[in-house]
Amino acid sequence: MTVSEAEASTEAEPTVITVERVGDRHTALDLRPGAFLAPRPLLPTAGGLRIALVATSAGLLAGDRLRLRITVGPGARLELVEPAGLVAYHHRGGASSWHARVDIGPGGELRWRGSPFVVADGARVDRRMDVRLAAGARMLWRDTLVLGRSGERGGSVCAATRVAYGGRELFAEDLDLTDPDERELPGILGPARVLASVASFGCTPPERPGHPYRTDLAGPGALVRLLGGAAPALDAQLDPLWQAWHGPPPGH
């Protein structure tokens, strides 16, 4: 596929997930497939819904714009599952983007364990996560960013995350990983090509198990991020934290 052919598909429809709670019942009001991902209901958990994000086309190519719109109503609980990771392939001089918008109402909760996001050699990706939490809402997010497939240095990626809680900024981060020579300098990434993190927004997680790289936010929330050369090794280190932080937040 040429760049011009790929860019003809840039106006792709977003994947939309909207869930609400009425009494003790959780309902998926809108499960709308997009150009790249389709929501598929799974067996629900106790007191919530589980939905898988299933790929419906190849990973990101030049001109692709993957969009996600996720809304969790007041008091509702949603768990998102990604059965497979996403690969941004060589863009042949073009660019692509991935943008998720999350809105969670009062007392709502989203648990999203993302699979690896791989940026192959030659890819150029703009990746953005925008989250708006009402007071009393919570989001638990597991994220793994991999620079390159086996034997690769990886392409170019800008990863921005913005989280607001109760109308005020809670977390803002811009990772500019566009230049392999710069990002591989000591004090930045060095030889590491995998960034794996667990983040709790809207709820301060328990102190145990403790972790030397834990950062508590200036508001309800915390983040732990690890750097390394292989995703499975980092996942093994983060699994205990994910399980501990996965428990019900206060008041649920």
Side-chain angles (χ1 to χ4, degrees):
M1 178 181 290
T2 66
V3 173
S4 60
E5 289 172 337
E7 291 183 346
S9 65
T10 58
E11 299 304 322
E13 289 296 319
T15 299
V16 177
I17 299 174
T18 303
V19 301
E20 287 199 354
R21 177 175 178 174
V22 179
D24 293 331
R25 183 177 180 181
H26 290 73
T27 303
L29 295 183
D30 193 356
L31 296 180
R32 198 184 319 161
F36 303 95
L37 298 171
R40 297 286 186 260
L42 303 173
L43 290 175
T45 60
L49 296 179
R50 296 180 73 231
I51 294 175
L53 289 171
V54 179
T56 57
S57 66
L60 295 180
L61 303 174
D64 287 346
R65 295 172 55 196
L66 190 156
R67 298 290 181 266
L68 285 161
R69 301 290 181 264
I70 301 165
T71 304
V72 181
R77 300 178 71 177
L78 170 64
E79 181 174 353
L80 282 183
V81 178
E82 293 185 30
L86 177 68
V87 179
Y89 295 98
H90 200 300
H91 286 1
R92 304 183 185 281
S96 67
S97 62
W98 182 100
H99 184 189
R101 168 68 182 271
V102 177
D103 292 277
I104 307 178
E109 179 181 348
L110 171 63
R111 298 174 179 179
W112 186 350
R113 180 166 182 156
S115 291
F117 189 113
V118 182
V119 183
D121 280 355
R124 184 158 61 95
V125 185
D126 179 70
R127 184 172 179 260
R128 185 176 182 92
M129 172 75 81
D130 288 309
V131 181
R132 297 184 183 182
L133 304 171
R138 179 196 187 193
M139 177 175 172
L140 186 63
W141 185 33
R142 182 79 171 262
D143 181 49
T144 303
L145 181 62
V146 182
L147 297 169
R149 294 172 291 184
S150 178
E152 296 181 344
R153 296 177 75 190
S156 167
V157 57
C158 285
T161 304
R162 298 288 185 273
V163 182
Y165 178 80
R168 302 183 64 180
E169 187 175 83
L170 176 66
F171 182 76
E173 179 181 70
D174 291 284
L175 296 176
D176 185 348
L177 304 175
T178 54
D179 188 329
D181 291 330
E182 289 185 0
R183 71 190 185 211
E184 292 173 4
L185 291 173
I188 304 180
L189 296 186
R193 67 182 192 89
V194 181
L195 298 82
S197 61
V198 175
S200 177
F201 302 126
C203 178
T204 301
E207 293 292 337
R208 295 185 179 275
H211 199 284
Y213 296 130
R214 170 170 169 152
T215 300
D216 286 285
L217 307 182
L223 171 76
V224 171
R225 174 173 292 137
L226 303 180
L227 305 179
L234 299 185
D235 283 343
Q237 295 183 55
L238 291 176
D239 277 342
L241 277 177
W242 174 261
Q243 294 301 326
W245 293 10
H246 200 275
H252 280 238

